[in-house]
């Protein structure tokens, strides 16, 4: 079934001309559909608060087994944030709690096309990030479907981990020094960069002076938001909870452009062919699986999963997931980033 909505496009003279939304019958319509269907499979973060006196998934009342290798302190100078703990299969306290619960609790997106989204064909969660969550669950619990998915906005990724409401966050989350103060990361599983998304025919040419006086949308808590604060080129910043909200605002003519990861923006452009990426990426970023800072054994275990996920060249699970979910919107990527490790 194709749902339709209205799009507002700015004309050359500054007027606004209503027209049909594109993609899945309009991204705003898709967002509404997601909200209705999500309750059947996804547990919202608001319902996952830990019980009084407990710390959520970080405290499931399971006695800790032998202690896994300890995490070395993060270098205060943070010269190489993508370097993570070396892979290991040791079951420490975090892995034991997940096994005792029988479910992996994963914070994900359900609105990022090709990454974490609700497939309109069958209503199930799908995407590159979802495929990785399934691989992690398969390794730890022996069942790729042993997952409780919790939809979280960009700004809640770190609080969800710190408060123990999720075991992992797999949600196009960039590894950086600031975030390493609060959470731990796996090795990188994808490389991206910040770029500008604008309507075709827009005078915006990229992350430059063409942004002056224009309303530019970013997601709260994102790298794009911080970059725009550092240098907005005279633009007017508009902040929303999720990336999809930016695209809806762009379609309604409420903003003039979006800054986000080019990997996400490519999916948005695939949803709405009236927008396009402009200019060049102005950052180099790496996505990682985020975890509670104390979950040392889980970090090492997921790095082991990623090691296997990358193995096999063109026949690897990584390449298969890329071809299934991303190649059509992000062609030409030869393979995953090379992992970096640090020792204690």
């Amino acid at each position: 079934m194709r749902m339709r909505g209205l799009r507002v496009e700015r004309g050359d003279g500054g007027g606004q001309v209503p027209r049909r939304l594109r993609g899945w019958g309009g991204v705003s319509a898709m967002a509404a559909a997601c909200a209705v269907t999500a309750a059947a499979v996804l547990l919202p973060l608001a319902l996952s608060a830990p019980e009084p006196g407990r710390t959520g998934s970080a405290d499931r009342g399971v006695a800790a087994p032998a202690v896994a290798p300890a995490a070395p302190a993060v270098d205060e100078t943070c010269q190489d944030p993508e370097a993570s703990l070396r892979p290991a299969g040791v079951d420490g306290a975090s892995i034991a709690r997940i096994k005792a619960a029988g479910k992996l609790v994963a914070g994900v997106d359900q609105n990022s096309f090709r990454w974490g989204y609700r497939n309109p064909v069958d209503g199930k969660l799908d995407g590159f990030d979802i495929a990785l969550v399934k691989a992690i669950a398969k390794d730890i619990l022996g069942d790729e479907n042993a997952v409780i998915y919790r939809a979280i906005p960009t700004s809640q990724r770190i609080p969800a981990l710190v408060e123990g409401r999720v075991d992992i966050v797999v949600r196009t989350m960039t590894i950086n020094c600031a975030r390493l103060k609060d959470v731990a990361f796996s090795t990188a599983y994808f490389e991206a960069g910040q770029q500008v998304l604008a309507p075709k025919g827009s005078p915006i040419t990229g992350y430059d002076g063409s942004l002056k006086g224009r309303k530019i949308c970013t997601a709260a808590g994102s790298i794009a938001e911080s970059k725009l604060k550092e240098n907005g080129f005279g633009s007017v910043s508009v902040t929303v909870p999720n990336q999809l909200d930016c695209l809806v605002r762009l379609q309604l003519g409420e903003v003039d452009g979006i800054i986000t990861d080019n990997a996400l923006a490519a999916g948005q452009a695939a949803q709405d062919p009236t927008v396009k990426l402009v200019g060049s990426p102005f950052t180099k970023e790496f996505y990682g699986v985020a975890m509670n800072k104390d979950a040392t054994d889980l970090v090492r275990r997921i790095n082991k999963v990623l090691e296997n996920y990358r193995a096999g060249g063109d026949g690897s699970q990584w390449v298969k997931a890329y071809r299934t979910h991303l190649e059509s919107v992000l062609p030409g990527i030869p393979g995953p980033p090379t992992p970096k490790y640090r020792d204690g």
Side-chain angles (χ1 to χ4, degrees), residues 293-315:
K293 203 169 183 178
D294 296 328
T296 304
D297 59 318
L298 184 57
V299 175
R300 293 186 186 276
R301 182 64 171 267
I302 288 179
N303 281 340
K304 184 175 177 62
V305 174
L306 285 171
E307 198 173 55
N308 296 331
Y309 204 67
R310 301 182 190 101
D314 284 345

Side-chain angles (χ1 to χ4, degrees), residues 1-315:
M1 183 177 75
R2 185 176 178 84
M3 295 177 287
R4 301 197 175 194
L6 287 176
R7 171 187 167 88
V8 179
E9 180 187 28
R10 294 188 182 277
D12 293 337
Q16 295 185 331
V17 182
R19 70 179 182 179
R20 296 290 180 187
L21 287 169
R22 303 294 181 88
W24 296 330
V27 177
S28 55
M30 184 197 78
C34 285
V36 172
T37 58
V41 179
L42 257 141
L43 292 183
L45 183 64
L47 298 181
S48 63
E51 299 172 8
R54 301 186 61 154
T55 56
S57 61
D59 182 10
R60 285 176 174 146
V62 178
V67 177
V74 176
D75 185 355
E76 290 298 323
T77 59
C78 194
Q79 296 296 317
D80 199 4
E82 290 84 34
S84 184
L85 301 178
R86 293 191 178 278
V90 176
D91 284 8
S94 300
I95 298 293
R97 284 191 289 266
I98 293 169
K99 287 184 174 181
K103 296 285 185 180
L104 176 71
V105 185
V108 298
D109 198 352
Q110 64 168 342
N111 295 320
S112 292
F113 186 46
R114 300 292 185 179
W115 289 94
Y117 71 105
R118 194 162 293 283
N119 194 315
V121 176
D122 57 15
K124 295 181 180 179
L125 282 174
D126 204 358
F128 191 82
D129 280 346
I130 305 302
L132 180 54
V133 171
K134 289 180 177 180
I136 294 169
K138 175 71 173 177
D139 181 86
I140 296 175
L141 296 168
D143 180 2
E144 68 172 24
N145 295 313
V147 182
I148 295 173
Y149 293 101
R150 287 186 172 140
I152 54 176
T154 305
S155 61
Q156 289 299 306
R157 292 177 298 188
I158 289 177
L161 288 166
V162 172
E163 296 167 10
R165 299 185 184 186
V166 296
D167 297 312
I168 61 174
V169 168
V170 187
R171 196 187 181 286
T172 58
M173 190 169 178
T174 300
I175 306 166
N176 63 31
C177 293
R179 289 171 177 166
L180 280 170
K181 295 176 182 178
D182 300 308
V183 299
F185 280 100
S186 69
T187 53
Y189 66 85
F190 200 86
E191 180 180 337
Q194 296 295 310
Q195 199 167 349
V196 179
L197 186 73
K200 292 178 179 178
S202 167
I204 296 175
T205 57
Y207 184 64
D208 53 32
S210 65
L211 299 180
K212 185 175 181 180
R214 303 191 183 280
K215 293 180 179 179
I216 304 300
C217 189
T218 62
S222 66
I223 299 294
E225 182 189 28
S226 62
K227 288 296 180 183
L228 203 61
K229 286 179 179 178
E230 290 174 11
N231 186 3
F233 292 99
S235 63
V236 178
S237 177
V238 177
T239 305
V240 297
N242 288 297
Q243 291 294 344
L244 187 66
D245 300 329
C246 278
L247 185 55
V248 172
R249 291 203 177 201
L250 185 64
Q251 291 178 314
L252 294 174
E254 296 176 358
V255 298
D256 302 298
I258 301 168
I259 296 179
T260 186
D261 301 0
N262 58 353
L264 288 174
Q268 292 177 349
Q271 289 173 258
D272 185 348
T274 67
V275 300
K276 67 174 183 177
L277 285 162
V278 294
S280 301
F282 57 91
T283 64
K284 190 173 185 179
E285 300 167 17
F286 297 90
Y287 297 158
V289 178
M291 290 150 278
N292 188 284
K293 203 169 183 178
D294 296 328
T296 304
D297 59 318
L298 184 57
V299 175
R300 293 186 186 276
R301 182 64 171 267
I302 288 179
N303 281 340
K304 184 175 177 62
V305 174
L306 285 171
E307 198 173 55
N308 296 331
Y309 204 67
R310 301 182 190 101
D314 284 345

